[in-house]
Amino acid sequence: MGLTTAGVAAVTTAPGLTACGGDSSGSDGDTTLKVVAADYGDSTANSSQKYWNKLARAFEAKNSGIKVEVKVYSWTEVDRRVADMVKSGQAPDIAQIGAYADYAAQGKLYRADEMLAIPTQAGFITSIAQAGEVRRVQYGVPFVASARLLFYNKKLFDQAGISSAPTSWDELKEAAARLKASGVKIPYALPLGPEECQAETMMWMLSGGGGYTDTNGSYTIDSSENIETFEWLRDELVGADLTGPGSPARTNRQDAFDAFTRGEVGMLNGHPTLMQQASGHGISYGTAPLPGRRGKSPSTMGVADWLMAFKQHGHRTQIGKFLDFVYTEKNVLDFVTEYDLLPVTTAVEQTMLGDREYKRLWRFLDELESAEFYPVDKTSWAEVSKLIKQKIGSTVAKGGDPTSVLGQIQREADAMENAGA
């Protein structure tokens, strides 16, 4: 799952991506690295293929004997493309996709410390690097990151007489009520539809003092904190008619973003891409940390996309050289600047914090340090995420039963864990 999208399309084969089975693992003699990556652009003009092509040519110029072929696919198909290639015995050398745990559990990936130079491995932001670990061993190498903040429409806030962003749930409810009274169509947009409701769910769980897992990594989906969070949403926001005319269970994240860019939404949780979308439509907006149960949320949600390297063709040394090049400061900065994303390396984070050109991202960078990530180290997470998409919206409907729904998801998640899913 990408930083801004969720879901995958049907399986299709990947023509022209057969790996070079004849390449030896030892020397740099004559190796071609096959790389599959996700597209962060929204048009041909800003396709990630351009970035990777330029990067590959620059690397080849400095490393004779190693060729790099990169194929970029949209987020709706890239995970399936890679899965298909692995299944057919033609794994890429490197994949830049949304999840790594299944491949790590199957023993198909190199460990990060088998590939990366020590300065490269030490250069990642700690909270993000730890999210790439399975049983304390790093297999997922973070590529880019994102964090979430509360966005609010400054014009609508002014019209409703609201002077500052809410810092607690009570203040959020009060602000939503004032927005509604001033005629705002959607005071708070609550996208619990199937597109990306696992994100909205996690943000609210965190702001209520809960989360998907505990510090030991065990699922805590039906914790008392999480149940109370969804009871509050059901009674205080949705039940008070403060989330607009549509059902949250049928409201997708992009629907909410689109409504925000039309000036119909007072507040919603968003990621950096929404800044570009809002500015492009002339919306004057502000950002603030997520409100929590009794004040600022203890943490926000972070999302990372991952690089991983497959062992199949034995190109460990060559892969390591290329990845060390990928993570040089210039190359990381070029990519995150192009797409308004957050860096995964401390050096680039510090560069951006010291340059006013990136001021719009500073608050996101501040939140990234304490961000919590999806439990992507669990092979069960993909299926648990599907369950959340199917069921979570019903918790906030009139008569919804968070205790029952969260309990059901918890039981199924535990069963998957126990079965080694």
Side-chain angles (χ1 to χ4, degrees):
M1 111 193 61
L3 298 176
T4 58
T5 42
V8 288
V11 175
T12 49
T13 56
L17 283 170
T18 53
C20 298
D23 289 339
S24 67
S25 61
S27 73
D28 289 355
D30 189 17
T31 302
T32 298
L33 295 179
K34 304 287 187 174
V35 182
V36 176
D39 196 351
Y40 291 79
D42 56 10
S43 68
T44 306
N46 68 351
S47 169
S48 301
Q49 187 75 54
K50 291 184 176 181
Y51 170 85
W52 283 107
N53 287 348
K54 182 179 177 184
L55 191 75
R57 300 299 82 78
F59 173 78
E60 290 168 354
K62 296 181 178 182
N63 294 270
S64 60
I66 308 178
K67 299 295 183 185
V68 180
E69 294 181 7
V70 187
K71 184 64 177 174
V72 169
Y73 293 103
S74 72
W75 271 110
T76 56
E77 63 176 333
V78 68
D79 288 287
R80 286 294 184 193
R81 291 272 187 170
V82 172
D84 217 33
M85 294 167 69
V86 172
K87 190 175 180 180
S88 65
Q90 298 173 339
D93 293 290
I94 298 169
Q96 185 267 300
I97 51 178
Y100 61 85
D102 279 348
Y103 300 123
Q106 294 163 23
K108 295 182 181 296
L109 302 181
Y110 286 118
R111 302 191 312 267
D113 64 3
E114 291 180 295
M115 308 177 292
L116 303 175
I118 291 173
T120 303
Q121 198 176 0
F124 295 114
I125 296 169
T126 304
S127 64
I128 307 174
Q130 288 175 345
E133 294 178 352
V134 176
R135 291 183 288 278
R136 303 195 182 279
V137 177
Q138 187 181 356
Y139 293 94
V141 183
F143 180 60
V144 286
S146 176
R148 305 298 167 96
L149 292 173
L150 180 76
F151 280 68
Y152 60 95
N153 184 310
K154 287 184 174 181
K155 180 180 177 182
L156 299 181
F157 264 49
D158 289 344
Q159 290 173 353
I162 305 168
S163 58
S164 60
T167 59
S168 69
W169 288 0
D170 286 345
E171 289 179 7
L172 185 141
K173 182 186 177 184
E174 181 185 348
R178 292 174 75 166
L179 288 162
K180 182 186 176 187
S182 70
V184 174
K185 183 178 179 182
I186 306 171
Y188 180 88
L190 183 67
L192 293 178
E195 180 198 347
E196 205 194 31
C197 61
Q198 77 278 9
E200 189 75 12
T201 295
M202 183 171 175
M203 285 182 271
W204 278 98
M205 284 179 170
L206 291 172
S207 69
Y212 284 131
T213 58
D214 61 19
T215 53
N216 296 319
S218 299
Y219 283 118
T220 54
I221 293 163
D222 65 345
S223 68
S224 58
E225 293 87 351
N226 291 343
I227 290 169
E228 289 169 14
T229 291
F230 281 89
E231 288 175 344
W232 189 89
L233 284 171
R234 178 194 64 194
D235 300 337
E236 305 297 327
L237 271 194
V238 182
D241 196 26
L242 298 175
T243 56
S247 163
R250 290 192 294 274
T251 302
N252 281 328
R253 190 278 319 272
Q254 194 58 52
D255 298 333
F257 279 20
D258 291 344
F260 188 78
T261 66
R262 294 193 299 268
E264 298 171 358
V265 173
M267 300 175 282
L268 80 172
N269 294 334
H271 51 60
T273 304
L274 182 56
M275 295 191 298
Q276 288 182 340
Q277 295 176 12
S279 297
H281 287 81
I283 300 295
S284 176
Y285 66 89
T287 59
L290 301 185
R293 188 182 295 276
R294 294 178 186 86
K296 177 181 177 291
S297 176
S299 62
T300 187
M301 186 185 84
V303 181
D305 293 333
W306 304 95
L307 275 171
M308 61 212 70
F310 288 86
K311 293 178 178 178
Q312 183 178 348
H313 309 293
H315 299 149
R316 180 177 64 84
T317 303
Q318 297 91 334
I319 289 169
K321 285 185 176 182
F322 181 61
L323 291 184
D324 286 337
F325 185 72
V326 168
Y327 286 103
T328 57
E329 185 170 343
K330 177 186 182 302
N331 291 331
V332 172
L333 190 61
D334 283 351
F335 194 87
V336 295
T337 301
E338 173 72 24
Y339 299 108
D340 254 356
L341 293 166
L342 304 184
V344 295
T345 64
T346 305
V348 176
E349 179 188 41
Q350 293 305 312
T351 295
M352 294 175 80
L353 287 171
D355 187 340
R356 295 191 67 82
E357 178 189 344
Y358 301 100
K359 185 179 180 183
R360 67 194 181 283
L361 291 169
W362 286 355
R363 186 167 261 153
F364 288 96
L365 288 165
D366 289 343
E367 293 294 311
L368 193 60
E369 289 291 342
S370 61
E372 299 276 342
F373 293 81
Y374 291 131
V376 289
D377 59 320
K378 292 178 169 292
T379 56
S380 60
W381 171 242
E383 290 302 315
V384 172
S385 180
K386 287 180 188 174
L387 283 175
I388 293 163
K389 291 179 182 184
Q390 292 165 8
K391 300 177 184 297
I392 202 71
S394 68
T395 60
V396 300
K398 186 175 181 179
D401 187 350
T403 301
S404 174
V405 174
L406 293 175
Q408 183 183 358
I409 297 171
Q410 176 76 38
R411 287 190 297 276
E412 294 194 42
D414 286 341
M416 284 184 239
E417 281 287 280
N418 294 333

